[in-house]
Structures are given as C-alpha cells and as structure tokens.
Amino acid sequence: MKLNKLPLIAFLASTCALQAIEPAAQLFVAMPDSLVPSIEVNRRKDLIDLFHAGQQAQVATKLGGTARMTQLQENHLALSLSEQSQMLLHNYITGNGDTLVVLVNTVYAPAGDSHIRFFNTTWQELPASKYIRPLPKEAFFLFPDSLTKEQCKELMQPVDIDLIEYTFGADGSICTRQSWGKYLDSETYERLKPYLRESITLRWNGRQFE
C-alpha cells in the first residue's frame, strides 16, 4: 500500500518551524484566545513570519483594527493591539528551572494603566502576589522631612486612582512608571512633580521581583 507522505511532511515542517522560533514567539502562538481575543492564532503566526522577514509586522484584528509586532526577541515580545492598547510578554527562568511567563496589558486613555499577570508555560495563571508586591501610590512620593503628615496627605489627595505603567528593561527588570502627568490637570501635576518619583525598577531574583 502506497502511503501519502505529504501530510506527514507538512506536519514535520510545521513542527520544525515552531521549534526554530523564539520561546517568546512560541508562547505567543500557544496563548489562549481569551488572552488575545482580537488576533486569531494564524494571524499571530503571520506577525512572527513578517517580523522575521524584516517586513512591517502588522495584521488586521477581529475588531477591524490593526495589530503590530514591534519587538521580538528570545524571551520578549511587544505588540501594539490598537492605538490605545499594548501587550508585552516576557519569560523568566525560576530558581528551580521552570519558566515563568509575565504578561502585561496596558491601556492608554491617555494615561497608561497596566495590568500584570503571571502564568506557567501551559498558560495556567499563577498568583501575582507570589511574584510581585503591589505598589501603592505612596511608593511614588518622596516627601522631605520638613512637610507634616497633614501636608503630605493634602498633596496626595488629587491622586485618587493608581495609574502605573509596566514595561520590561533590557536586563529583564520591570520598570513601574507612574502616569499621573496625563491624568491630572497641568497645574496640579506641576505642584506634585517635585515630590514624585518618575519610576521604580523591580529586578528578578529567580523567585520574585524586588
């Protein structure tokens, strides 16, 4: 009996191609649709192929917009989902040799507001509290000793919402940046600016970010 080898050859070629791409890209392809509902899996593959080919890596989304892959490295990728939203993915090796996947979704309205989540390589969500500490708004203020507690409290009062944007550094660190400058009126922000920290960097130690 003569076997049809074409399906087998196609399967092997597809498997080899997937193994050849970056771990971050493999995770992106395997990502559940619920995490990136606007881009079906074949369009994700197209983004990777276009990026590797040195072409403009963009595809139409299910919502009628355009998604663009702006970075793709061994353990990192960045994706513009629309003019108002961005997705970042970075994977880390833990102290026991497992892989931790960190996913950041940011919405700009126009101030950046990020949501950070943690997963294993099969996309099972892990408790964020195990890997990163929440940063309250007070962490971004540096008040001199000359100010009283009441004065500090009064200065912070206009900041009634936590607006923090998460990005990844080249060394894998997480940069947490406050974005109140695009939320508050200019007069209020200029009054607060001398007491504000622009950003806080958290570094991966193999177990958590600190």
Side-chain angles (χ1 to χ4, degrees):
M1 181 176 63
K2 187 176 180 180
L3 296 175
N4 186 349
K5 295 182 179 180
L6 288 178
L8 176 60
I9 293 173
F11 171 77
L12 292 174
S14 175
T15 301
C16 290
L18 185 60
Q19 291 176 343
I21 66 175
E22 301 84 351
Q26 293 184 43
L27 288 163
F28 179 54
V29 171
M31 182 182 293
D33 292 343
S34 60
L35 294 177
V36 57
S38 63
I39 311 175
E40 59 187 4
V41 65
N42 286 335
R43 299 290 77 79
R44 293 179 231 165
K45 293 177 181 178
D46 289 343
L47 283 169
I48 295 167
D49 290 342
L50 289 167
F51 194 95
H52 283 157
Q55 301 180 40
Q56 190 172 29
Q58 65 179 44
V59 297
T61 69
K62 292 181 179 179
L63 301 177
T66 300
R68 297 178 178 84
M69 181 171 285
T70 56
Q71 293 182 48
L72 177 57
Q73 300 167 353
E74 186 77 3
N75 299 314
H76 176 82
L77 68 80
L79 194 69
S80 172
L81 298 173
S82 70
E83 293 183 358
Q84 290 82 33
S85 62
Q86 175 182 260
M87 185 182 78
L88 304 176
L89 181 153
H90 201 105
N91 54 290
Y92 298 83
I93 302 300
T94 66
N96 58 13
D98 294 330
T99 297
L100 177 70
V101 184
V102 184
L103 187 68
V104 173
N105 285 93
T106 304
V107 175
Y108 299 92
D113 185 18
S114 293
H115 181 46
I116 187 168
R117 301 170 71 180
F118 299 84
F119 301 85
N120 60 21
T121 53
T122 60
W123 288 104
Q124 293 177 310
E125 188 160 9
L126 306 171
S129 59
K130 182 178 179 181
Y131 301 102
I132 196 169
R133 70 181 189 275
L135 289 174
K137 66 179 182 182
E138 288 82 3
F140 290 92
F141 283 89
L142 290 174
F143 292 119
D145 294 337
S146 57
L147 293 180
T148 65
K149 289 183 178 180
E150 288 72 20
Q151 288 173 319
C152 295
K153 184 177 180 180
E154 183 178 352
L155 281 167
M156 287 191 294
Q157 190 172 3
V159 182
D160 55 357
I161 185 173
D162 292 339
L163 290 172
I164 301 174
E165 182 179 356
Y166 291 86
T167 56
F168 295 100
D171 60 353
S173 60
I174 291 179
C175 178
T176 64
R177 186 180 302 275
Q178 55 84 10
S179 55
W180 294 313
K182 294 183 178 181
Y183 170 72
L184 300 170
D185 64 82
S186 58
E187 182 179 347
T188 301
Y189 184 71
E190 288 301 317
R191 187 169 69 250
L192 294 181
K193 193 173 180 180
Y195 310 107
L196 284 174
R197 300 172 66 174
E198 186 69 22
S199 63
I200 298 173
T201 299
L202 304 175
R203 303 189 185 281
W204 175 247
N205 65 10
R207 302 186 314 276
Q208 59 185 7
F209 292 92
E210 58 181 17

